[in-house]
Amino acid sequence: MSSNETFKALVVDKVDGKIVSEIKQLTVDDLPQEDVLIKVDYSTVNYKEGLGFAGLNNIFRKFPMVPGLDLAGTVVESQSPDFKPGDQVILNGWSVGERYWGGYAQMAKIKSDFLIPLPKGIDTKKAMEIGTAGYTAMLCVLTLEEAGITPESGPVIVTGAAGGVGSNAVAILANLGYDVTALTAPGQESTHEFLKELGAKSFAGGEEWSEMPKPLEVQKWMGAVDTVGSVVLSRVIAEMNYGGCVASCGLAAGFDLPSTVMPFILRGVSLRGVDSVWCPNSRRIEAWERLVTDIPDSALAKINKVIKLEEVPKYTKDILEGKVHGHLVVDVNAS
């Protein structure tokens, strides 16, 4: 690609203390000076981008910024011995789209350390249908497996089940044979049919999920994937079976944890954190290799919706308002 050839990018800036976004025509010379140039096919929209576009939580750390914490595409130029032109690659996390320019552009320059090869058996579109949401869900499943939680161990619960990570976790766990209960927010009962199609066997909900639990509640779950945090996570912990494990990866309801030590010392419950941003590449590759087979294409077809780059700002607002069910893929080349 010549240095004066232009491409489309969604650029955010801060003007008078407010986040503004605009589709701009950029050249390769406008991109950061990183060692791998990529022609981007797809990116995604996640809760974190919702926070960023709303100016919350200081998500965007520098301006101007090209957001997009995911991307999949093809290497055009490389100064790294690990990648060559024509290689297909994926990126998740590493503060890309926050500190480093990300995937909301038709071209991107990325640090080679942040990239992994596209796994055999999937294309770039499927990689972003999985995206950070599916990759994070798979990390949670690996965490439960490493804690000894098998399909035979007992029921598992997924909180925030209608969201990107939650819906992927439901699909993966159900495909592996787990008995999955889905917890959705009040007013999201319309998503239950969707979640049944992904494999959820039953549903949890009610006013008690917004109330502080007792230190120990009736034992219900052997495993849990929590995307919500705060009081919801407290109740999940209080309801865990003896020896159960909670994989915690999200804070949609808050980052506080008003709990007690009693489930841990009286029931042997474990709470394990799951990080998708700074996860080592060896762990990423393990998760992605599992994703090739462990999440059905039929589930991805139900979970995902493809949008254009120009539509991203609208959907970042919708995702914060709980109007997005499943996962959003951004086709950066769609017109």
Side-chain angles (χ1 to χ4, degrees), residues 11-15 18-22 24 63-65:
V11 183
V12 298
D13 213 332
K14 182 176 277 190
V15 178
K18 294 184 178 180
I19 301 296
V20 296
S21 63
E22 181 183 359
K24 292 187 175 183
F63 297 95
M65 173 59 62

Side-chain angles (χ1 to χ4, degrees), residues 254-287:
F255 55 76
D256 59 319
L257 180 56
S259 188
T260 76
V261 299
M262 292 180 69
F264 307 111
I265 63 175
L266 295 181
R267 291 180 178 170
V269 171
S270 62
L271 174 62
R272 302 191 180 195
V274 175
D275 165 54
S276 63
V277 178
W278 303 105
C279 181
N281 278 342
S282 58
R283 181 72 160 177
R284 292 169 185 264
I285 291 169
E286 178 186 9

Side-chain angles (χ1 to χ4, degrees), residues 321-332:
E321 295 175 355
K323 296 178 181 178
V324 174
H325 303 145
H327 185 239
L328 296 169
V329 176
V330 183
D331 182 346
V332 300

